[in-house]
Amino acid sequence: MEIYQIVKELQFKAVRSSGAGGQNVNKVASKVVLTFDLKESQALTEEEKIVLENKLANRLTSEQLLILHCDEDRSQLKNKAIVIKRFLAIIRDGLFVAKERKATKIPKSAIRKRIKDKKSLSDIKQSRRKPDF
């Protein structure tokens, strides 16, 4: 994954942010909308595209576009940095392949210890009972 090449392929659009903020909201376009076209990406290999398509299926549009937006800050530049960081984290997590788990046997010493602990607990509880005459 070439980070610099992927960042070059991103498209940004600045729009007016909604919500509270007074007159500043009506004047300044501080919200940043990031769009990434997964199908047309040159930075990703075909295998990576397939993996991302499967893992990010619920986040992609029908045209295979990933759309993210950020309006956390009043600064357009900070919002752009936040949304790029978020995008890279999503791509990195999407391309991460977990190691396959190897099934192992339970060691005999662990089995012996568990049975010994059960026995000792049983003896303790047995000693608490009233004697049977």
Side-chain angles (χ1 to χ4, degrees):
M1 179 177 88
E2 292 284 329
I3 293 175
Y4 295 112
Q5 202 171 1
I6 288 177
V7 172
K8 284 182 185 177
E9 293 178 355
L10 299 177
Q11 296 172 346
F12 298 98
K13 188 167 59 171
V15 293
R16 287 195 182 139
S17 186
S18 63
Q23 293 180 2
N24 188 58
V25 170
N26 302 329
K27 293 189 289 184
V28 182
S30 60
K31 180 178 181 177
V32 175
V33 178
L34 175 144
T35 309
F36 177 69
D37 193 352
L38 187 62
K39 270 196 292 190
E40 302 298 320
S41 177
Q42 302 295 317
L44 299 170
T45 64
E46 289 302 317
E47 295 85 34
E48 289 174 333
K49 287 179 186 179
I50 292 167
V51 169
L52 285 174
E53 197 173 317
N54 292 333
K55 286 196 175 179
L56 302 177
N58 60 340
R59 288 179 155 259
L60 296 173
T61 64
S62 57
E63 296 87 32
Q64 301 301 313
L65 294 175
L66 178 65
I67 299 172
L68 300 172
H69 56 84
C70 179
D71 59 354
E72 293 173 13
D73 204 279
R74 286 176 68 163
S75 165
Q76 188 183 110
L77 200 60
K78 286 181 184 175
N79 283 336
K80 188 175 179 181
I82 292 168
V83 81
I84 289 173
K85 194 180 291 185
R86 226 184 266 161
F87 167 77
L88 291 174
I90 288 170
I91 296 296
R92 204 172 293 119
D93 291 346
L95 291 175
F96 178 76
V97 179
K99 283 197 287 184
E100 219 173 289
R101 184 187 176 278
K102 295 179 186 174
T104 58
K105 284 186 176 179
I106 300 170
K108 287 191 166 114
S109 62
I111 294 170
R112 274 190 236 111
K113 181 184 181 303
R114 183 178 58 85
I115 291 171
K116 184 182 143 213
D117 289 346
K118 281 179 77 171
K119 182 71 175 153
S120 67
L121 189 62
S122 173
D123 291 342
I124 290 169
K125 289 188 174 188
Q126 197 77 31
S127 69
R128 290 181 191 155
R129 284 188 181 169
K130 290 182 180 176
D132 196 26
F133 295 115

